[in-house]
Amino acid sequence: MAFLLQRPEIPASAWRRPLGQGWENPYRVRYASNLDDGPWHGAPLGGFGAGCVGRSPRGDFNLWHLDGGNHIFKSLPACQFALYEYAEGETPQAYALCTEKPEDGTLGNWEWYPQGQGTYAALYPRSWFDYRGVFQSEATCEQFSPIWGHNYQETSYPIALFDWTFFNPTDKPLTLSLLVTWQNTLGWFTNAIKSPAVKVRDDGSPVYEYQPRWGDSTGNFNQWIEDHYRVGCLFNRIQLGETVREGEGQMCIASITNPSLEVFYHSRWNPQGDGAEIWDFFSGNGSLPDYQDETPAEPGEQIAGAMAIRFTIKPGRVRKIPVVLAWDLPVTEFAEGVNYYRRYTDFYGRNGQNVWAMARTALKHGDVWREQIQDWQKPILNDPDLADWLKMALFNELYLLTQGGALWTAATETAPVGQFGVCECMDYRWYESLDVRLYGSFGLMTHWPRLDKAVLLDFAKAISQEDLTPRIIGYNQASAVRKAKGATPHDLGAPNEHPWEQTNYTSYQDCNLWKDLGSDFVLQVYRDYRFAGTPDGEFLADCWPAIGDTLAYLKAFDLDNDGIPENSGAPDQTFDDWQLKGVSAYCGGLWIAALEAALAIGRILLREKRLDPGEIEEKMTLYQAWLAQSRAVYHDTLWNGEYYRLDSASGSQVVMADQLCGQFYARLLGLPDVVAPEFTQKALKKIYDTCFLKFADGQFGAANGLLPDGAPENPQATHPLEVWTGINFGLAAFLAQMGFKTEALGLAETVVRQIYENGLQFRTPEAITAVGTFRASHYLRAMAIWALYFQLRR
C-alpha cells in the first residue's frame, strides 16, 4: 500500500463541493447596479499584484483580473484540461474536464465531464479537482501559486501550477493522455477607453467606464517550445512600440517530457470553431497532429495552442504530471501615461519576454513551493483547538490579496518592498479604504507585515497633501474639495487615476468630514508597531508627523470643546448611510483609543531618542489634556445602564453592534481601557442578544443596529439591518477578547456558513440580509476573520 503515500492529501478542513453542483437558491445582489456574477467562483491563481485567473468548481477558467484593479468574469472554453483513457480491448473515452459545455456553441465536437462525479476542494492558495466515477483511473489536480506568509518574492509571481496525479486502481494497464489547451489572450487586458468617463451609480458611488480589449487578438502568435526536458506552448504578440505597454508581454503553458512520456502539440487552432482539429485526434488515441504554425492572427481571428501528454500507468501505480501556466504582463497603467512595473519584475526583468524563464523556475521548484505553503499552514491546520470551518475560512478569505484588484509595484529606494494595495471591493474600486482595513487588514498584517506597514506609510504621506478640486458628493449633492490638508484620506486612489498621488477617490460622502479615519490611522500604526514583526521605531517616527496632523484636524470637529469631536448628523464614518449626531459611541471610543495610542507612540519615540523631544513632549501634553476631557464625557454621556447609546444628540435607542470598537482596539494594543471591563461585558451581552440572537433567530449573524427588543428602528434603513461580514468577525474577536469564546465562535461560524453554503465563496460580500441578498462582493473587510484568530491565540 506504499503507493497511497504518493497520492495528494486534501486537508480535512478544505472547503468542498461536488464538481459542477449548482446552488438551489444562492444569494442574489441587493442593488441591480452592483456586481453579481453568480456563485461559480473558485480559489484564484496568481501572485499578489501580478494579476490572477479563477477556475470555478465546474472546471472552467472564468475570472480574469489580469488588468490591475479591473474585473472580467467570462468563461473561456478553450482554456481547459481534458483527459483520455484507454484499456486494451475496451472503447476509449475522453472528456474535457469541465461540467458545462460552452454557452456560445463553440467546441461542439468536445465531450464534457458529467456533473457531480468528483469533488472540488479549496484551502487558499491551494485547491483541488478530484475526478472519480467516470474514468477507471482516479485523477486529482492540485493547483496553486507560490504564496506563503512572510515571503516577498515568490508570492508576487504570475504563476499557477497544476500538479496532476493519476492512480490506476485496476488490475490492467491504462493508457492516459492529459490535454492542456489555452487561448492566446494577449492584448485583451487593458482599457480601450484611455480617458474613461466617471459617473455616479444609483447607490451614489463613482464608477468609471471599463471596456477591455476582449477578443482583440490581432498580431497574436503561438510558438511550440522544446527545451531539454521541458515542453510547452508560448503565446506571444507583435509588440508595436519599443517599450512594453499594459496588456503586452507573454503567456505560456508548459510541462515536462521524458522517455516514458509521449508529447503531442498543436500550436495554432481555432477556439471559435467546433474544436474538431483537436478533439478528433485526442479522443481517438490521446494524441495531437504535431502541427506548428507561428502565423500572427488576422483582425477578428482567434488562435489557441494545445499540448497532450500520453503515458501508460501500471496497475496499482501512481503517476504525476506537472503543468505550469505563467504570464509576463509587466506593466500596469492607471490614468493614461501613468505606468508602474509589477513587483515580480524585480526578479524577472521588465521587457515582457521572461515567461519561459518563469515556467522553468516553476517546474524546478514547484515541489519546494508546495512544502513552503504546507509548512506555513501547518500550525493552524494541526491545531486541535480550532474547528475545521475556522481553519477553512481563515485561509480562504486571504483570496482577496490576489483577487481583489491587488497592486504590488516594483521596489524603489523609498519603497523597498514596493507599494501595495487591494480594492475595497469590485463595486467600490478604490484602494485600501482605511476604515474598512481597520478590521480587514489583520490578514495582511499577520502574514505580510512589511506590506501592511507600506500601506500605512502611504497614508502617512498623503495626510499632509491637499487637493482642492471641487466635486459633487453623491449622498447629498453638496460640493466639497477632494482632499483637505491634514485630513486622513479614506482611500489611496483608484485604477483609472494615479493611486497614492490622488487619494479620496470615493465621492459618495465627503470623507474630509469623517470622524473615524484619523483614529483608524493612529490605531493601525501602533498595532503594526506592536505586532507586525520586530518593533520598528523608524516606522513610528515616519508616521509621527502625520499622527499630529490628523489628530489636530480631527479635534477641530470638537465644536463644544468637550474633548470629543462630534458627529455632524450626516453619515460621516464607515457606516456611511447611517446618521450619527453629537458624541457617538463608535467614533468617540476610537478617538479615546487613538489618543492613548499616540501617547504610547510618543513615549517610544522619546525613549529611543527619535525626532525632536521638545516637539514630542508638547504634543503629548496636548493629547493628555484632550484625553482627560474625553474620558470625563464619554461614559457618562452615553451609558444607559445596559449599553452605550448610538450618540448623544439623535435620541436613537439603537443597540449598535460595533459601538465599542475603540475599546476592542485599546485592549488589543495593551492600552488603558476606554470603558471599564464591567461595562464592556454588559454591552457585549446586550449586543449579542439583540443584534445576533434576536435578528432572524440568529440564522445570519449580527445586524449592525436594532432596538433593544430586536425590532428595526426604521424598517427601510440600509446599514443598520445588514449583517456586515467583517464587522461580525471583528465583533467575534471582541467577544473572544472579553472571555465569551463560545459566543464568539458561534457568531463567526454562522456568518462563515452563510458565505460558503450559499454561493458567496471567493466573492465574500460586505453585507448580507435576512432575505438572501448581498451587497459589495469581493470585500476587503471580511479578512477580519484573522482578528478572531489573533485574539484566540493571544
Side-chain angles (χ1 to χ4, degrees), residues 508-622:
Y508 176 55
Q509 297 288 358
D510 180 1
C511 296
N512 297 301
L513 304 179
W514 277 26
K515 309 308 187 299
D516 55 350
L517 293 173
S519 301
D520 294 347
F521 170 72
V522 178
L523 290 168
Q524 288 177 65
V525 167
Y526 188 49
R527 182 200 65 185
D528 278 21
Y529 172 80
R530 289 285 309 276
F531 303 124
T534 304
D536 184 354
E538 183 178 355
F539 169 68
L540 293 185
D542 288 342
C543 293
W544 180 254
I547 289 171
D549 288 347
T550 197
L551 290 177
Y553 181 91
L554 189 51
K555 182 61 168 62
F557 292 106
D558 178 18
L559 301 181
D560 61 5
N561 202 34
D562 67 353
I564 300 181
E566 288 87 40
N567 291 88
S568 66
D572 53 3
Q573 25 64 45
T574 194
F575 302 94
D576 58 359
D577 207 20
W578 196 357
Q579 298 178 353
L580 307 181
K581 191 173 184 180
V583 174
S584 72
Y586 179 73
C587 295
L590 287 170
W591 167 252
I592 291 172
L595 289 176
E596 292 285 9
L599 288 169
I601 291 169
R603 288 190 287 270
I604 294 166
L605 295 176
L606 286 175
R607 184 174 66 245
E608 297 188 2
K609 298 181 180 180
R610 297 178 185 271
L611 306 178
D612 177 2
E615 182 270 342
I616 295 174
E617 290 172 347
E618 180 180 353
K619 285 188 176 178
M620 289 179 66
T621 299
L622 187 61

Side-chain angles (χ1 to χ4, degrees), residues 271-293:
Q272 293 181 310
D274 60 12
E277 61 208 287
I278 296 295
W279 204 253
D280 286 356
F281 282 88
F282 182 73
S283 64
N285 60 12
S287 73
L288 293 173
D290 289 348
Y291 177 79
Q292 184 168 350
D293 184 349

Side-chain angles (χ1 to χ4, degrees), residues 9 12 33 37 63 115 148 166 180 212 241 371 373 396 409 486 488 572 670 691 722 739 753:
E9 181 178 345
S33 63
D37 294 316
L63 182 137
Q115 184 186 98
W148 61 89
F166 302 95
V180 190
E371 291 173 4
I373 295 169
N396 280 342
T409 69
T488 298
D572 53 3
C691 298
E722 291 180 328
R753 294 198 181 282

Side-chain angles (χ1 to χ4, degrees), residues 360-407:
R360 288 199 305 263
T361 302
L363 290 170
K364 181 177 181 180
H365 296 291
D367 289 342
V368 174
W369 291 348
R370 183 195 297 102
E371 291 173 4
Q372 294 279 9
I373 295 169
Q374 291 171 327
D375 289 344
W376 167 53
Q377 294 184 332
K378 190 178 298 181
I380 290 176
L381 298 186
N382 291 348
D383 189 334
D385 295 330
L386 299 179
D388 281 346
W389 67 263
L390 180 54
K391 297 173 183 178
M392 178 276 292
L394 283 169
F395 287 111
N396 280 342
E397 289 304 320
L398 292 176
Y399 82 98
L400 201 78
L401 296 174
T402 290
Q403 190 171 299
L407 299 178

Side-chain angles (χ1 to χ4, degrees), residues 585-700:
Y586 179 73
C587 295
L590 287 170
W591 167 252
I592 291 172
L595 289 176
E596 292 285 9
L599 288 169
I601 291 169
R603 288 190 287 270
I604 294 166
L605 295 176
L606 286 175
R607 184 174 66 245
E608 297 188 2
K609 298 181 180 180
R610 297 178 185 271
L611 306 178
D612 177 2
E615 182 270 342
I616 295 174
E617 290 172 347
E618 180 180 353
K619 285 188 176 178
M620 289 179 66
T621 299
L622 187 61
Y623 300 157
Q624 286 168 336
W626 293 350
L627 188 58
Q629 282 184 288
S630 300
R631 286 190 174 279
V633 168
Y634 184 81
H635 175 80
D636 291 344
T637 300
L638 298 173
W639 180 249
N640 70 0
E642 291 186 287
Y643 59 94
Y644 288 88
R645 291 187 291 125
L646 184 71
D647 57 41
S648 64
S650 70
S652 174
Q653 299 304 309
V654 160
V655 180
M656 185 186 198
D658 207 27
Q659 61 186 259
L660 287 180
C661 178
Q663 167 63 17
F664 164 72
Y665 249 91
R667 181 159 284 221
L668 176 83
L669 300 178
L671 299 168
D673 287 322
V674 173
V675 298
E678 60 264 32
F679 301 118
T680 302
Q681 290 189 332
K682 272 190 174 183
L684 276 175
K685 289 178 181 178
K686 188 65 176 180
I687 292 166
Y688 184 82
D689 178 68
T690 300
C691 298
F692 177 39
L693 297 182
K694 289 180 179 175
F695 179 70
D697 297 322
Q699 298 178 69
F700 294 90

Side-chain angles (χ1 to χ4, degrees), residues 46-51 155-156 332 342-344 401-402 405-409 420:
F48 293 2
T155 296
S156 74
T332 291
R342 288 171 155 154
R343 167 66 171 174
Y344 78 86
L401 296 174
T402 290
L407 299 178
W408 192 1
T409 69
F420 184 81

Side-chain angles (χ1 to χ4, degrees), residues 124-246:
Y124 179 82
R126 296 193 293 161
S127 53
W128 297 263
F129 288 82
D130 197 34
Y131 300 93
R132 302 293 172 95
V134 173
F135 297 100
Q136 296 182 67
S137 59
E138 297 174 0
T140 302
C141 175
E142 178 180 1
Q143 54 186 43
F144 64 94
S145 293
I147 293 168
W148 61 89
H150 303 279
N151 175 274
Y152 299 92
Q153 180 169 330
E154 287 87 350
T155 296
S156 74
Y157 286 0
I159 290 174
L161 293 99
F162 304 86
D163 280 350
W164 286 87
T165 304
F166 302 95
F167 170 55
N168 180 358
T170 73
D171 58 1
K172 56 196 173 188
L174 295 175
T175 296
L176 304 178
S177 183
L178 177 67
L179 173 69
V180 190
T181 64
W182 202 260
Q183 189 163 348
N184 189 331
T185 58
L186 290 170
W188 294 20
F189 303 108
T190 184
N191 198 348
I193 306 171
K194 288 303 179 184
S195 297
V198 178
K199 62 181 181 179
V200 177
R201 289 191 311 214
D202 59 358
D203 63 0
S205 60
V207 61
Y208 61 88
E209 292 180 280
Y210 182 65
Q211 182 180 315
R213 295 186 181 275
W214 188 265
D216 181 7
S217 297
T218 304
N220 287 3
F221 62 98
N222 305 338
Q223 299 168 281
W224 176 248
I225 304 292
E226 296 182 7
D227 172 20
H228 300 290
Y229 62 89
R230 296 169 290 258
V231 292
C233 195
L234 185 70
F235 304 101
N236 228 319
R237 184 180 179 91
I238 296 173
Q239 188 172 307
L240 299 179
E242 293 184 2
T243 58
V244 63
R245 301 178 301 179
E246 182 179 66

